[in-house]
């Protein structure tokens, strides 16, 4: 590729196409317990790119997004280059992860006081917006709504909160009818050159959201991840200390995990993954 490499994520790369456009490339790398494993999951990058494209096409009535085109490889997204907001925009419909930790410690998450007696993985009475900082290293930290409003401005904060909740309600209702709970999700927004708020990055992928199988939802403990549970279960059998380097995955774990990604894609989009490979544009219609 002649494009200039701009940034690396744990499992993705960004290249510059020109002054106005970026190329986001989703690899088949997988991370667990925050460590990227040496073994790839074939087609994982295509599944995530296809899911993002599907959701970008279906949420344009809620907010404009950065997507310009999906490339024929199914893993590369041409997108509009934006001025990114300095916060991660998290919406939670269920209490888990760092939200659960914050609730146990203080009874609140990002300034949302929640009723007493919630169990881990309980559904919340309504989705809550819990912005976090973009940590350069380590974990993003939930911040108070005031702190987030300070970072992006009051008016922008109010719009981001409204749009993020609307996006989550739209996608989580769709997903739940297809047997997948979107427990929470993380968005990134940017501003275009006219100052218009635009949804960027990835949308409702299993790397940016917690996907749970709805038929197994059982509050009182953490839930199995729809996509990564085989990998986590296998890693737990090893006595690995969850620091770099991670273990190689055996074939059956790779095959089972790939099948889970493909299943999530097909359940959520209603499109066969084969059709997507033949023609990535299928998710945009
Ligand atoms: C997204 C990220 C990745 C590493 C920057 N449309 C946009 N305009 C400007 N910047 C971005 C976007 Cl999407 C942007 N990230 C997150 C993605 C690898 C970091 F693929 N960083």
């Amino acid at each position: 590729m002649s494009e200039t490499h701009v940034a690396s994520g744990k499992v993705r790369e960004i290249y510059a196409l020109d002054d106005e456009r970026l190329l986001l490339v989703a690899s088949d790398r997988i991370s667990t317990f925050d460590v990227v494993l040496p073994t790839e999951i074939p087609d994982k990058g295509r599944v995530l790119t296809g899911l993002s494209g599907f959701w970008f096409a279906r949420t344009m009535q809620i907010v404009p997004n950065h997507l310009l085109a999906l490339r024929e490889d199914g893993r590369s997204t041409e997108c509009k280059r934006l001025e990114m907001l300095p916060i991660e925009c998290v919406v939670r419909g269920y209490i888990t992860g760092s939200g659960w930790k914050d609730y146990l410690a203080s009874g609140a998450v990002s300034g949302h006081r929640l009723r007493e007696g919630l169990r881990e993985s309980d559904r919340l009475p309504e989705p809550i917006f819990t912005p976090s900082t973009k940590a350069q290293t380590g974990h993003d930290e939930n911040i108070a709504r005031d702190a987030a409003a300070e970072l992006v401005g009051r008016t922008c904060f109010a719009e981001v909160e409204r749009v993020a909740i609307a996006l989550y309600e739209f996608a989580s209702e769709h997903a739940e009818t297809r047997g997948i709970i979107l427990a929470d999700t993380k968005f990134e927004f940017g501003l275009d050159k006219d100052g218009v708020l635009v949804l960027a990055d990835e949308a409702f992928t299993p790397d940016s959201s917690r996907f749970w199988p709805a038929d197994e939802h059982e509050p009182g403990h953490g839930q199995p991840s729809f996509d990564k549970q085989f990998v986590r279960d296998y890693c737990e059998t090893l006595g690995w200390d969850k620091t770099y380097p991670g273990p190689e995955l055996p074939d059956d774990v790779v095959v089972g995990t790939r099948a889970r990604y493909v299943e999530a894609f097909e359940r959520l989009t209603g499109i066969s993954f084969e059709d997507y490979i033949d023609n990535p544009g299928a998710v945009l219609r």
Side-chain angles (χ1 to χ4, degrees):
M1 272 202 308
S2 63
E3 290 90 8
T4 316
H5 185 245
V6 172
S8 288
K10 276 194 296 206
V11 302
R12 299 178 301 161
E13 309 294 334
I14 308 188
Y15 301 86
L17 293 173
D18 53 43
D19 288 351
E20 276 131 51
R21 297 179 308 144
L22 298 174
L23 189 69
L24 254 62
V25 182
S27 75
D28 291 338
R29 298 192 294 273
I30 187 170
S31 69
T32 191
F33 306 111
D34 286 324
V35 175
V36 177
L37 301 181
T39 311
E40 296 192 331
I41 306 299
D43 293 324
K44 172 177 177 275
R46 289 192 178 88
V47 164
L48 270 62
T49 300
L51 278 172
S52 275
F54 173 82
W55 289 114
F56 283 140
R58 277 152 191 79
T59 57
M60 291 171 60
Q61 41 350 318
I62 300 173
V63 64
N65 61 66
H66 75 164
L67 184 137
L68 298 171
L70 292 182
R71 289 216 168 154
E72 280 304 310
D73 64 7
R75 66 171 68 255
S76 307
T77 305
E78 296 178 9
C79 59
K80 197 188 288 191
R81 193 195 283 245
L82 304 167
E83 201 65 56
M84 300 299 286
L85 299 185
I87 55 172
E88 305 276 5
C89 297
V90 178
V91 180
R92 302 168 189 274
Y94 292 74
I95 187 78
T96 187
S98 66
W100 173 242
K101 287 201 181 75
D102 293 354
Y103 169 72
L104 282 183
S106 70
V109 187
S110 290
H112 299 272
R113 185 146 291 279
L114 301 171
R115 74 160 173 86
E116 279 180 48
L118 290 175
R119 299 162 296 174
E120 186 175 10
S121 312
D122 260 335
R123 185 176 186 144
L124 296 171
E126 59 198 1
I128 56 173
F129 183 60
T130 63
S132 59
T133 58
K134 290 186 179 179
Q136 292 308 309
T137 57
H139 276 131
D140 298 341
E141 193 182 333
N142 294 331
I143 53 176
R145 306 170 73 249
D146 288 358
E150 198 113 310
L151 284 170
V152 301
R154 288 241 152 255
T155 310
C156 179
F157 179 83
E159 188 183 7
V160 162
E161 176 172 51
R162 175 182 61 76
V163 164
I165 296 274
L167 289 167
Y168 175 81
E169 284 178 338
F170 178 84
S172 61
E173 281 167 25
H174 171 101
E176 221 152 324
T177 67
R178 286 154 179 83
I180 294 175
I181 291 173
L182 297 179
D184 53 29
T185 196
K186 181 173 80 181
F187 305 112
E188 290 201 38
F189 291 94
L191 302 176
D192 72 10
K193 56 180 183 288
D194 302 320
V196 173
L197 186 72
V198 177
L199 177 61
D201 208 47
E202 56 184 337
F204 303 110
T205 70
D207 280 2
S208 65
S209 317
R210 285 192 177 85
F211 285 28
W212 295 340
D215 59 358
E216 293 173 39
H217 179 232
E218 187 184 82
H221 51 82
Q223 302 300 291
S225 149
F226 192 96
D227 49 303
K228 287 181 178 168
Q229 200 56 42
F230 295 153
V231 172
R232 297 207 181 125
D233 289 350
Y234 171 73
C235 289
E236 295 289 5
T237 69
L238 299 174
W240 167 47
D241 65 1
K242 296 165 190 171
T243 64
Y244 177 86
E248 307 246 18
L249 300 175
D251 263 0
D252 62 320
V253 173
V254 171
V255 167
T257 301
R258 179 185 180 281
R260 294 291 276 182
Y261 279 110
V262 170
E263 184 184 348
F265 176 94
E266 294 188 334
R267 278 161 76 162
L268 290 170
T269 66
I271 297 165
S272 91
F273 187 61
E274 256 193 272
D275 288 355
Y276 176 70
I277 297 296
D278 283 354
N279 173 23
V283 294
L284 303 180
R285 290 192 285 273

